[in-house]
Amino acid sequence: MLALRLARGAHPLVLTRRLLVAAAAAGVGFLLLCTLGYAVGHPERSSASVLRLLWCALPLAATVQFAVAVARTDPSTRPRPGLSAIGLGPARLTAIAAASTAVACALGSMVALLFYLHLRGDITGLPFDGAAADLLAADEPIPLAAALTLLAVLPVVAATAAGLALRPRTAPAAPEGAEKPMPSGLPWGIALVAVGLAVETYAGRSGAAGGLPLPGRFDGNPAGVLAGWVLTAFGLAMAGPGITHGCGRLLQAARPGAVRLLAGRVLMDESRRIGRPLGVVSAVVSGILAAAALYDTDTGSDAFGPLTGLGASLILACTTATLLTAALESKQGRAHTTEALLRIGAPPTVLRTAALMRAGALLAVFLPLTWLVAELAALPLTG
């Protein structure tokens, strides 16, 4: 109840972010219900139904990541002086953040259920009654318990992830003289990318039997190719903080001025916060580019069904929104530093130039990297 009251009195921008989480949850819920409808309509294809359900884990993971990023930037979850005296300590605020995340995702799941039943024709009196009856197996009854169980997965997982991300913890003291924060996942990330590309190449060249049926009609590729892409995506996400930290070091190389020094230090300090979402966006964009290259060669215009497009759009939208939310969190985290610089007479143009320099450095590194990974990922499938 307290989470609902805080949501009602929140800033419009905060409410907008929560509504976006609810919209993403609605999309994921609709994909899960469509998978359930496929299983009900094709009981003889149980293995294909399981694989479709596993594919839905990708948009679900992207939505959970976005929900956690929104919870981290929620002003109502930040500890403030005096709140502990009225029982709102760090642990209670973490519980409120988890509850708010669960409420937003549950709202989206309910919208997905209503929309799904409407397209099946079970709910009438609105436009598009039963418009997708054939696709959604309207001639078969949907088990309500199974539908509610699937729809409960996202709110539970998102609330748990938000609670774990925001739980009170004490950071270990850094050794004297150590660099602050120095990401250590770059070698492991590079190794995962290499392994993922090798798996894709082997699966694509060997013509392994058994295509992975996605929600739609894009089901002609070996499962090993998609498994390799998942490994590549994990590798890019793991390497993102290290690459961002390296961009900050490059900006400060060769006798930097005040602007380059400021831009580089900010990138190094915020490398963990924005590096991982940036790596995830790079992985998603590289996957979309590889799929587009495959689409242009030999799969034809019927390769991508509507549900495949919905899942890909959800992944791209949620990962991009997560990156923008992480950038906003980074800006909020250095608000005191910005105010201090302005107080001592730093021109606002210096701060804007430093921001543009940071964005340019990241684009100059991540755009070629994304294109290279996409080309290497598409090569085994395009010949």
Side-chain angles (χ1 to χ4, degrees), residues 130-144:
D134 295 335
L135 179 64
L136 303 180
D139 54 338
E140 298 288 342
I142 291 294
L144 183 60

Side-chain angles (χ1 to χ4, degrees), residues 150-218:
L150 284 177
L151 291 177
V153 170
L154 179 59
V156 171
V157 173
T160 303
L164 291 176
L166 297 174
R167 71 188 187 277
R169 54 183 180 268
T170 303
E176 187 175 354
E179 195 75 46
K180 177 187 175 184
M182 184 62 184
S184 57
L186 184 58
W188 291 103
I190 295 174
L192 276 180
V193 171
V195 171
L197 292 174
V199 170
E200 289 184 57
T201 303
Y202 176 78
R205 294 292 174 85
S206 63
L212 182 62
L214 304 181
R217 294 185 293 274
F218 188 53

Side-chain angles (χ1 to χ4, degrees), residues 58 188-189 192-193 227-240 280 283:
L58 293 178
W188 291 103
L192 276 180
V193 171
W229 179 84
V230 172
L231 287 176
T232 303
F234 274 113
L236 285 174
M238 188 176 293
V280 172

Side-chain angles (χ1 to χ4, degrees), residues 2-4 6-7 18 21 74 76-77 95-105:
L2 180 58
L4 290 175
L6 289 174
R18 290 176 180 170
V21 171
D74 194 339
S76 63
T77 62
I96 292 174
S100 300
T101 303
V103 168
C105 293

